[in-house]
Amino acid sequence: MKPDFPMIAAFVAGIMTLPVAQADNFHGKTGAMGGAGVASADLVTGMSLNPASLAAIREEQGFNIQLNAGALTSDEDDLIDNAEGLRDRLDVIDRRQVTLDDIQFVADKFNQLANKSLLLSAGASAYLGMPTSLGALAVHGKSELRLGATTEVDQTDLDRINDARDSANLIQGLVDQYGTDFSNYTPQQAAAVVSALQASGLLTPEQINQALATGSLDTIELLDVDDIQSEFVGRGAAVTEAGITFARRFQDTSVGITVKAQRVDVIEYRANVQNFDEDDFDADQYRADGSGVNVDLGIQHEYGNWRVGAVASNLMKETYTAPTGHTVTIEPRLTLGAGYRANGFTLMLDADANAYDNMITGQESQFARAGIAIDVFDWAQLRLGYKSDLKSVIADTTTVGLGFRAFGTANVDIAAITGDNDTVGAILQLGLSF
């Protein structure tokens, strides 16, 4: 089947309007193999990893369409739930006298939130590949969304809350022994209470004078919500792109190039913990966008059953900045791969040759990936994979997947992802060749 260029134009226009977000190789086949496949992924998913893979398409295959969607999340510490619980209790405390139970709750929540984080990736993509008289051609649209959240707990807040808890315990002990109201104390009891408050070193003279002036231990203000400085921070980026790939085979070597237009939305949300609202993450005041053009280059070579490959992605380095100053850099990445295929068995190994900034934390990540696939009969595949961040910033993940091919034209591929820090995810791929 020869290319229908009006169909191509309509396809590109359609995928450019999709409200999608793709993240770190969310493709049902290679995603189930840890994301490996630079050297030996087939053309069905190879375009997403190495443009040279597209050269494997044959003229008699005609068009090949692939749609992918998936999501991955890591929230071991229930960050959002704990942040919302803290915010709601602080809002209540701000309207009434703080209790020992309040202070204990706030202290527990601050300890649960300190040095904790949430990560979310989600997305989808669409590809259309076809043969031409000069080589193989493909168009694609994809986008990736990566969000992270953390609580930047101020040490002064922790010290203040711990002091308030100790003070509340002291006052509760005095109430249990003498009662709440000074009017019910004997002069000796009143002197003992004041002496205990002063000797503890936990209360300021102003707080002690407040109790004396009101005649009650219950009126001492132990925690002022307005003094809390800790912040909830959400960071992320959405990278949306549309591009065209051309690949050609020269005997045992294939080469490919992808030229793509990119739009990058950078997000940094900051709010005091008592004002946190997850629905404000994508508000305009926390988001900025920019656009550019980028290029990927790839090569593959076969040695019998063995294959090697390399891909240089995003050759044009660009930096994008949120209104708050948080930056995201799209930077070059070189990935090397090796693979083996024989008798229904496939092995893939990939490794990033350089580290690159994590879009959320700004820390560098550098991944190694491995995967295997085993043919089951003529219409199914079992896949396993593993992905590890050599910089230990992102949790390692293990993947498992199944692929089904019907009538030689349709494919359905699913993958499940699990990893450290309660990391879970899933990917679905649907494809059609005609």
Side-chain angles (χ1 to χ4, degrees):
M1 182 180 295
K2 296 299 182 182
D4 183 341
F5 289 100
M7 178 184 288
I8 298 171
F11 179 79
V12 172
I15 58 178
M16 283 293 287
T17 62
L18 287 174
V20 300
Q22 181 267 343
D24 208 295
N25 192 38
F26 268 121
H27 297 82
K29 294 187 73 171
T30 53
M33 301 175 69
V38 165
S40 54
D42 60 32
L43 65 96
V44 172
T45 48
M47 290 177 284
S48 67
L49 295 175
N50 187 342
S53 299
L54 180 63
I57 198 168
R58 299 185 303 274
E59 185 169 353
E60 64 269 20
Q61 289 179 285
F63 290 102
N64 180 274
I65 296 175
Q66 299 294 323
L67 305 174
N68 300 272
L72 181 70
T73 182
S74 176
D75 186 17
E76 178 184 24
D77 306 294
D78 295 325
L79 181 70
I80 297 295
D81 290 343
N82 283 325
E84 289 179 336
L86 175 61
R87 176 202 62 197
D88 294 343
R89 182 61 71 95
L90 290 175
D91 185 56
V92 170
I93 292 173
D94 200 31
R95 299 194 302 269
R96 63 163 169 76
Q97 184 69 29
V98 65
T99 67
L100 176 59
D101 180 66
D102 290 332
I103 295 173
Q104 185 63 54
F105 181 91
V106 171
D108 290 343
K109 288 300 179 185
F110 263 97
N111 288 324
Q112 291 169 359
L113 290 168
N115 301 316
K116 302 300 189 298
S117 62
L118 171 150
L119 299 175
L120 170 67
S121 298
S125 58
Y127 294 85
L128 170 61
M130 70 210 78
T132 73
S133 58
L134 297 177
L137 182 69
V139 291
H140 77 268
K142 68 176 182 178
S143 174
E144 62 179 20
L145 173 66
R146 301 180 191 177
L147 291 176
T150 187
T151 304
E152 295 183 355
V153 175
D154 190 298
Q155 184 60 46
T156 302
D157 289 344
L158 290 177
D159 294 341
R160 183 183 296 116
I161 292 167
N162 287 330
D163 287 346
R165 178 169 53 186
D166 292 342
S167 299
N169 283 323
L170 170 66
I171 292 171
Q172 186 62 53
L174 293 173
V175 169
D176 291 343
Q177 184 174 0
Y178 299 110
T180 298
D181 298 328
F182 279 80
S183 59
N184 296 325
Y185 297 169
T186 65
Q188 292 80 8
Q189 289 175 328
V193 168
V194 172
S195 177
L197 294 175
Q198 292 173 334
S200 69
L202 296 172
L203 298 168
T204 66
E206 291 78 9
Q207 288 174 309
I208 296 173
N209 290 334
Q210 182 182 26
L212 294 174
T214 58
S216 174
L217 291 174
D218 284 343
T219 61
I220 298 177
E221 185 176 0
L222 298 178
L223 181 65
D224 187 348
V225 171
D226 293 333
D227 290 338
I228 293 177
Q229 300 300 313
S230 297
E231 291 185 317
F232 185 92
V233 181
R235 294 191 182 98
V239 182
T240 304
E241 68 180 49
I244 185 167
T245 299
F246 179 78
R248 186 163 182 172
R249 187 178 180 88
F250 301 92
Q251 295 182 345
D252 293 331
T253 301
S254 299
V255 294
I257 180 172
T258 296
V259 180
K260 54 194 179 182
Q262 292 179 320
R263 167 176 163 150
V264 179
D265 290 81
V266 186
I267 303 166
E268 184 175 47
Y269 168 82
R270 283 184 171 271
N272 194 281
V273 289
Q274 63 261 44
N275 299 320
F276 155 69
D277 187 346
E278 64 176 302
D279 293 334
D280 291 338
F281 274 18
D282 61 350
D284 290 341
Q285 64 264 38
Y286 305 114
R287 183 178 61 190
D289 63 79
S291 59
V293 176
N294 228 311
V295 177
D296 300 340
L297 296 175
I299 187 171
Q300 291 179 336
H301 185 76
E302 296 182 16
Y303 298 92
N305 293 329
W306 292 92
R307 303 182 183 189
V308 294
V311 59
S313 306
N314 297 317
L315 295 181
M316 311 298 181
K317 183 176 180 177
E318 295 285 350
T319 298
Y320 303 89
T321 305
T324 55
H326 173 60
T327 62
V328 166
T329 301
I330 305 297
E331 57 187 315
R333 183 195 315 183
L334 176 62
T335 304
L336 307 176
Y340 176 84
R341 281 186 175 183
N343 302 319
F345 175 81
T346 301
L347 170 67
M348 299 184 186
L349 300 171
D350 286 2
D352 294 331
N354 63 300
Y356 53 93
D357 285 349
N358 182 285
M359 288 185 180
I360 299 168
T361 65
Q363 297 172 284
E364 289 191 335
S365 290
Q366 186 174 2
F367 290 99
R369 309 168 185 86
I372 61 172
I374 302 171
D375 290 342
V376 182
F377 307 111
D378 293 327
W379 49 268
Q381 271 194 329
L382 172 65
R383 306 181 182 108
L384 300 170
Y386 188 77
K387 177 180 174 182
S388 178
D389 183 359
L390 303 180
K391 301 293 185 180
S392 301
V393 174
I394 304 299
D396 294 350
T397 53
T398 301
T399 55
V400 61
L402 290 173
F404 305 94
R405 188 166 180 83
F407 311 112
T409 58
N411 63 277
V412 178
D413 301 277
I414 57 176
I417 308 169
T418 185
D420 299 335
N421 302 328
D422 286 351
T423 299
V424 294
I427 310 170
L428 172 65
Q429 177 176 343
L430 303 174
L432 183 65
S433 298
F434 57 94

